[in-house]
Amino acid sequence: MENKKILSRHSGIPQKAGQNSGLPRFKAGWYILTALSLMPAIIWFFGSSTDLAFGDLSSFSKTMGDLTGLCGMAMFSLVMILSARLKFFEKFFNGINESYTAHHFFGGLSFCLLLFHPLFLSYNYLLVSFQSAALFFLPSLDNWAKNFGSVGLFIMIITLCITFYMRLKYQIWKFTHKFMGIAFIFAFVHMLLIGGDLATNQPLKIYLLVLGVLAIATYFYRTLFADYLVRVFDYKVKNITSYPDKIWEIEFEPKNRILSFVPGQFAFIKLYSRALTKELHPFSFSSAEGDSLKIAIKELGDWTDRVGNLKVGDLAKIEAPFGSFSFKNFRNKKQIWIAGGIGVTPFLSMARSLSEKDLDYKIDLYYSVKDNNCLAFVEELKKISETYKNLKIILWVSAEKGFLNFDSIKTNTPNVEQRDILICGPSSMMSILKKQFLNGGINKKQIHMEEFKLY
Amino acid sequence: MIKNLVTVSLIVFLLVSVGILGASIFVKQDDAENNKLPVATLPQSSIATITINQVAQHNSRNDCWMIISGKVYSLANYMTAHPGGASTIIPLCGKDGTSAFATQGGQGSHSQTARNLLVKYYVGDLAK
């Protein structure tokens, strides 16, 4: 399954392969990011002259200008660090997808803070004159510290307007988003040169310096020199199989190191082929754990439309594994799997991975497709369910029965409330089904969705 | 939710910054009222002459006089609004800060805006 700008993928708790505990979904990452972002305000409160900081409107605006700048920069640094896509982050965010959600949220918030930073500071210039305030917003030859800040903010405004308000193709958006690193470097230089509390409050200076350096290191690691610095697995295309509904399954063989994964996990893959541009795309594994590596791709756009032209022997660089959307990660062995279209991929991997050890699972797999021409992998899934009777396949053709909903699931699966529910499909389908489950009295903790948002 | 917050912030930022830039072009009387308030416009007789000893008595955070280029300024009310922070001004309260002001504490020099701002806090001339 290939992700467009917003496609769904996974959720859950990252665990080592085979581990089976079902930890609570504690989103510590959100609290940690909030605390680290507010830390400059706390250090400032204890380390700077604060007695008259809010004494009058003039002081208030100066103080707010400082604090929005300090906290905005801390948050901006953390957002940059979060983009490193380290597996380590999954522990704090219920999977890498949620770390992207946090990246998006805190990135937007830091932008707001940094927009208000000059606005608050401009008040004291307004007290002098409109001309003074105007000069504060414009570049000047005698204040390079300020100029760096202005340029950084300008780049940020342009880049984030593209992210929030324009619908570009994923790769074009990704290219424009690289400029956030440039904006950060300008903002960082501004911070170094500006003086003020940053020059006199050493703990504050050190804190923001460390975060800033880590953020710039992340930018070099993940954005500028990812091809040389990010550790990947080298594979090559071994086989390409065509399925109905414009789906291709690509089998890879390792060039040297072998990648191991838990069924349901996914990878970021860059294919080196004459048929395709070299773009990094996330795909769920479709193969069984321990088998030769396979992914399934549906033709959904310019890039995926050409996947069928791949040749045996084409190279692939694979960064993996990510995610923890796996039946093995949930303690409850009574499960409902819901696949929408190509969202069947992680379930295919899970079904193919079933073994004698998994006979204590009781799984109903709802495979929802648009019409009878979209039935990929059905025969294979049926064969697996003949071997493993504890896996029941319920095929749902929307053109005949309407959209899959909670009521139809209740009819086919007794005691839904006793089961964990794993969903992967189009985002609209997932959000509607989740709402129906919640309204139907299903506990939120029992619903696990494979979401992947790149924004 | 975050998109709405970004939208509101952007609109506020654009309205304020464009408003200020527009006002700086079209509102002319502002110049006369504030920027050109300097000493020269005051009658010569109203200018106080202050000795260096008098300045030295105003040496605290809440009562802070400073000499800059032969002129005395009272900066207590401005302290927390100083972009460089109050802590860079406090050590110079009651003293001659000409050099620190000229070099922005060794970092360069203050902008014309800063010099304009200073006029508001003028107290008198230093006695020669």
Side-chain angles (χ1 to χ4, degrees):
Chain A
M1 177 187 181
E2 193 248 354
N3 281 316
K4 299 282 284 179
K5 205 165 170 186
I6 300 179
L7 277 183
S8 59
R9 195 157 291 275
H10 86 117
S11 166
I13 298 294
Q15 290 172 22
K16 289 174 187 164
Q19 206 172 338
N20 191 0
S21 72
L23 290 170
R25 306 174 110 210
F26 178 56
K27 298 178 176 182
W30 290 84
Y31 300 110
I32 293 170
L33 274 184
T34 306
L36 292 176
S37 300
L38 293 175
M39 190 61 79
I42 295 164
I43 302 174
W44 169 86
F45 183 78
F46 288 108
S48 299
S49 315
T50 56
D51 49 337
L52 291 174
F54 298 99
D56 54 33
L57 195 55
S58 172
S59 304
F60 173 80
S61 61
K62 166 67 172 52
T63 304
M64 288 305 293
D66 284 350
L67 291 180
T68 47
L70 295 169
C71 293
M73 271 309 282
M75 207 179 274
F76 194 2
S77 307
L78 292 163
V79 166
M80 295 275 293
I81 294 167
L82 210 54
S83 71
R85 205 194 295 146
L86 301 177
K87 292 189 190 84
F88 163 78
F89 294 152
E90 291 196 287
K91 289 180 183 171
F92 300 98
F93 285 101
N94 283 347
I96 205 85
N97 68 307
E98 196 179 300
S99 79
Y100 273 96
T101 307
H103 170 90
H104 182 75
F105 177 83
F106 283 102
L109 200 56
S110 72
F111 179 49
C112 296
L113 288 175
L114 294 173
L115 281 174
F116 276 98
H117 169 59
L119 291 189
F120 277 120
L121 292 179
S122 68
Y123 176 75
N124 279 302
Y125 294 92
L126 267 176
L127 291 179
V128 179
S129 67
F130 283 124
Q131 282 73 20
S132 292
L135 285 174
F136 173 71
F137 279 98
L138 295 171
S140 61
L141 285 173
D142 60 356
N143 195 342
W144 283 98
K146 187 194 74 179
N147 292 347
F148 274 103
S150 306
V151 173
L153 192 59
F154 179 73
I155 299 173
M156 208 177 177
I157 290 172
I158 301 290
T159 311
L160 287 188
C161 278
I162 289 172
T163 289
F164 281 100
Y165 306 111
M166 291 178 75
R167 290 208 159 268
L168 296 176
K169 282 182 185 172
Y170 171 64
Q171 292 301 327
I172 297 172
W173 164 81
K174 198 178 159 196
F175 174 75
T176 63
H177 212 58
K178 287 181 179 181
F179 286 90
M180 286 307 291
I182 310 283
F184 182 84
I185 290 170
F186 272 95
F188 186 66
V189 174
H190 163 76
M191 197 178 80
L192 291 180
L193 296 178
I194 203 68
D197 283 322
L198 274 172
T200 52
N201 187 332
Q202 285 303 316
L204 190 60
K205 188 177 182 176
I206 292 167
Y207 181 74
L208 286 170
L209 215 62
V210 169
L211 282 187
V213 168
L214 286 175
I216 291 171
T218 302
Y219 182 56
F220 277 77
Y221 167 75
R222 175 54 69 188
T223 308
L224 295 185
F225 301 110
D227 284 350
Y228 311 103
L229 298 175
V230 177
R231 199 161 175 253
V232 293
F233 292 87
D234 291 313
Y235 272 72
K236 59 182 179 180
V237 174
K238 186 182 172 188
N239 195 16
I240 306 154
T241 314
S242 170
Y243 285 88
D245 197 23
K246 296 179 179 177
I247 291 172
W248 299 89
E249 189 167 48
I250 301 162
E251 185 178 356
F252 296 95
E253 58 183 346
K255 283 187 75 182
N256 36 54
R257 290 187 305 137
I258 296 173
L259 161 66
S260 61
F261 64 92
V262 181
Q265 287 192 299
F266 68 95
F268 286 90
I269 301 178
K270 193 183 259 188
L271 289 161
Y272 292 78
S273 164
R274 284 189 177 181
L276 299 166
T277 48
K278 291 172 193 60
E279 298 173 7
L280 192 68
H281 288 257
F283 298 103
S284 289
F285 297 114
S286 58
S287 50
E289 186 178 5
D291 270 7
S292 65
L293 201 150
K294 289 179 188 170
I295 57 170
I297 302 177
K298 181 177 165 70
E299 291 183 16
L300 283 168
D302 292 348
W303 190 86
T304 48
D305 286 354
R306 298 192 300 271
V307 158
N309 298 327
L310 274 170
K311 297 274 178 285
V312 171
D314 282 345
L315 299 178
K317 289 194 180 293
I318 303 177
E319 189 188 349
F322 289 101
S324 55
F325 182 75
S326 178
F327 71 113
K328 292 190 172 185
N329 283 343
F330 306 110
R331 186 176 289 146
N332 185 0
K333 297 193 173 185
K334 288 181 180 171
Q335 298 180 358
I336 296 171
W337 299 352
I338 302 171
I342 188 62
V344 73
T345 313
F347 298 116
L348 187 61
S349 175
M350 294 184 216
R352 284 169 168 173
S353 301
L354 286 174
S355 69
E356 298 297 328
K357 286 187 293 183
D358 302 315
L359 289 173
D360 50 346
Y361 280 89
K362 191 164 176 54
I363 300 160
D364 285 2
L365 167 56
Y366 288 83
Y367 184 12
S368 170
V369 291
K370 205 166 23 177
D371 54 50
N372 282 316
N373 297 321
C374 304
L375 295 170
F377 308 113
V378 170
E379 291 311 313
E380 185 181 350
L381 285 169
K382 280 182 178 170
K383 267 185 192 166
I384 295 171
S385 77
E386 280 166 19
T387 310
Y388 298 101
K389 301 286 184 196
N390 54 331
L391 173 69
K392 186 173 142 193
I393 310 287
I394 300 123
L395 192 60
W396 194 272
V397 181
S398 305
E400 295 170 2
K401 301 179 184 176
F403 288 126
L404 182 65
N405 57 42
F406 180 50
D407 289 335
S408 30
I409 291 169
K410 268 198 307 189
T411 312
N412 287 287
T413 305
N415 303 323
V416 175
E417 68 285 351
Q418 292 175 9
R419 298 194 177 219
D420 268 32
I421 301 159
L422 287 71
I423 315 173
C424 183
S427 54
S428 56
M429 172 192 174
M430 289 201 297
S431 59
I432 289 167
L433 277 174
K434 184 181 181 182
K435 202 178 275 180
Q436 290 177 358
F437 282 125
L438 292 175
N439 290 340
I442 305 295
N443 191 320
K444 200 165 79 174
K445 290 179 180 169
Q446 289 170 249
I447 306 167
H448 315 284
M449 299 203 299
E450 171 73 320
E451 274 181 298
F452 197 92
K453 294 174 182 171
L454 289 175
Y455 296 98
Chain B
M1 182 186 92
I2 195 66
K3 188 176 176 181
N4 294 339
L5 193 62
V6 166
T7 306
V8 170
S9 303
L10 259 177
I11 290 170
V12 171
F13 178 83
L14 291 173
L15 284 178
V16 173
S17 55
V18 171
I20 287 174
L21 290 172
S24 72
I25 296 166
F26 298 111
V27 182
K28 289 292 178 196
Q29 93 281 1
D30 189 60
D31 243 19
E33 282 173 14
N34 288 318
N35 261 359
K36 293 179 182 171
L37 186 70
V39 198
T41 63
L42 298 171
Q44 199 62 34
S45 59
S46 70
I47 297 175
T49 306
I50 302 159
T51 67
I52 200 157
N53 287 338
Q54 283 175 305
V55 174
Q57 287 166 21
H58 302 273
N59 60 358
S60 68
R61 188 208 165 93
N62 296 327
D63 181 14
C64 176
W65 284 14
M66 194 193 296
I67 302 161
I68 297 170
S69 303
K71 291 184 168 33
V72 179
Y73 300 92
S74 175
L75 300 175
N77 290 336
Y78 173 66
M79 201 84 75
T80 49
H82 182 224
S87 55
T88 54
I89 296 180
I90 293 169
L92 296 166
C93 290
K95 296 178 185 159
D96 190 327
T98 307
S99 161
F101 183 79
T103 63
Q104 210 175 15
Q107 292 179 39
S109 65
H110 275 92
S111 63
Q112 185 57 45
T113 312
R115 284 189 280 274
N116 291 342
L117 197 61
L118 198 57
V119 170
K120 282 176 58 111
Y121 300 94
Y122 174 73
V123 178
D125 280 356
L126 186 67
K128 293 188 176 139

